[in-house]
Amino acid sequence: MGEPSREEYKIQSFDAETQQLLKTALKDPGAVDLEKVANVIVDHSLQDCVFSKEAGRMCYAIIQAESKQAGQSVFRRGLLNRLQQEYQAREQLRARSLQGWVCYVTFICNIFDYLRVNNMPMMALVNPVYDCLFRLAQPDSLSKEEEVGGPSPGTSTEGCRMDSPAQPCVSPLLTEVDCLVLQLHRVGEQLEKMNGQRMDELFVLIRDGFLLPTGLSSLAQLLLLEIIEFRAAGWKTTPAAHKYYYSEVSD
């Protein structure tokens, strides 16, 4: 049934009371506490990496509904305030929960991808998103093999190159390298348009990381090489690159 049914499906991971809260926020935002709604979505996004990939669509829908109904931005303000709080405590979050950290980066990139001001990405999110990606590109993150929650066993790995040439195929369980590469595929081109110098600096880190003498798995090296070539080709996957990386990951 199109977009609304996809929103409805994502809500099913919540308990019945929260489902009702979110359904009301989407249909009649003035009838609920929108700051509470923002906190509920952020809290769940930090626990569920699958949901964090799609939460931006839900947030965008609530923002649009509130603007149309009342011309206000209570939900957006609450959402951005909470994102800022988590951003300021990002190192503590990473130390406490690698899953929460990876989910947070996925979520803030998703929000950056969806939220617009005058049809442009939000400038207020550009540097925070860059800072998160820079952290993922540090040597201790690139060489960290700990995996965190991705799709449950048996579910589709949406975004995998085997389904779409626009996205790399990564492990169903996400490492920080996976997260870095996936987010650059998603928002890298937009970020570069907003601040090309920082993107150049980020890719210096990524290239240095690719050349790490020890501690980098062969899959991590493959993913880093792929994103380097992806950007060099104008944020596109060439047919030759698609064939090479598809066969490498399949093997």
Side-chain angles (χ1 to χ4, degrees):
M1 199 166 99
E3 204 70 16
S5 65
R6 294 189 67 185
E7 294 292 355
E8 189 79 7
Y9 174 77
K10 297 301 176 186
I11 292 176
Q12 300 309 312
S13 60
F14 294 88
D15 61 56
E17 182 180 349
T18 305
Q19 285 185 42
Q20 188 56 49
L21 176 72
L22 295 176
K23 288 176 183 177
T24 304
L26 286 161
K27 295 176 182 177
D28 184 13
V32 295
D33 181 343
L34 290 174
E35 287 194 18
K36 179 181 178 181
V37 173
N39 283 322
V40 164
I41 291 174
V42 174
D43 287 341
H44 201 72
S45 294
L46 296 182
Q47 299 168 18
D48 184 343
C49 284
V50 175
F51 177 75
S52 70
K53 292 196 310 181
E54 303 298 333
R57 183 183 293 111
M58 183 184 297
C59 291
Y60 175 77
I62 295 172
I63 288 169
Q64 292 295 103
E66 183 189 13
S67 177
K68 183 176 181 180
Q69 183 184 71
Q72 296 183 342
S73 56
V74 174
F75 175 78
R76 186 176 74 174
R77 184 166 60 250
L79 176 66
L80 294 176
N81 285 342
R82 181 64 192 279
L83 280 173
Q84 182 179 31
Q85 291 172 16
E86 298 297 337
Y87 165 76
Q88 290 172 342
R90 61 193 182 280
E91 283 297 336
Q92 295 95 311
L93 173 61
R94 182 177 181 271
R96 182 174 69 250
S97 168
L98 197 61
Q99 171 170 327
W101 161 241
V102 167
C103 289
Y104 173 73
V105 177
T106 302
F107 181 59
I108 193 173
C109 288
N110 196 277
I111 294 298
F112 174 77
D113 191 27
Y114 273 96
L115 265 59
R116 290 287 185 272
V117 176
N118 298 325
N119 207 34
M120 290 288 291
M122 293 190 67
M123 279 300 301
L125 291 177
V126 173
N127 281 329
V129 169
Y130 262 123
D131 289 344
C132 290
L133 298 180
F134 267 78
R135 185 64 185 88
L136 291 174
Q138 296 299 319
D140 65 325
S141 294
L142 295 178
S143 60
K144 198 174 186 68
E145 288 300 303
E146 183 179 346
E147 296 175 329
V148 299
S152 301
T155 62
S156 170
T157 54
E158 182 181 354
C160 173
R161 179 185 289 106
M162 293 181 181
D163 300 318
S164 167
Q167 293 277 314
C169 186
V170 299
S171 166
L173 295 175
L174 298 180
T175 65
E176 289 180 281
V177 179
D178 295 330
C179 183
L180 172 65
V181 172
L182 285 170
Q183 302 323 313
L184 282 170
H185 270 269
R186 179 165 199 148
V187 300
E189 185 173 11
Q190 296 178 62
L191 280 172
E192 184 162 38
K193 289 176 180 177
M194 304 298 284
N195 190 331
Q197 179 179 342
R198 289 210 73 185
M199 187 61 72
D200 288 340
E201 294 168 356
L202 177 60
F203 270 78
V204 168
L205 264 183
I206 291 173
R207 279 189 287 269
D208 288 347
F210 175 74
L211 297 173
L212 281 174
T214 59
L216 207 60
S217 70
S218 56
L219 179 57
Q221 287 183 313
L222 189 70
L223 289 170
L224 293 181
L225 180 60
E226 192 274 343
I227 196 62
I228 290 169
E229 294 188 355
F230 184 72
R231 184 200 181 204
W235 302 102
K236 294 180 177 62
T237 301
T238 65
H242 175 250
K243 182 178 179 181
Y244 173 73
Y245 291 108
Y246 178 92
S247 63
E248 286 293 314
V249 172
S250 296
D251 292 344

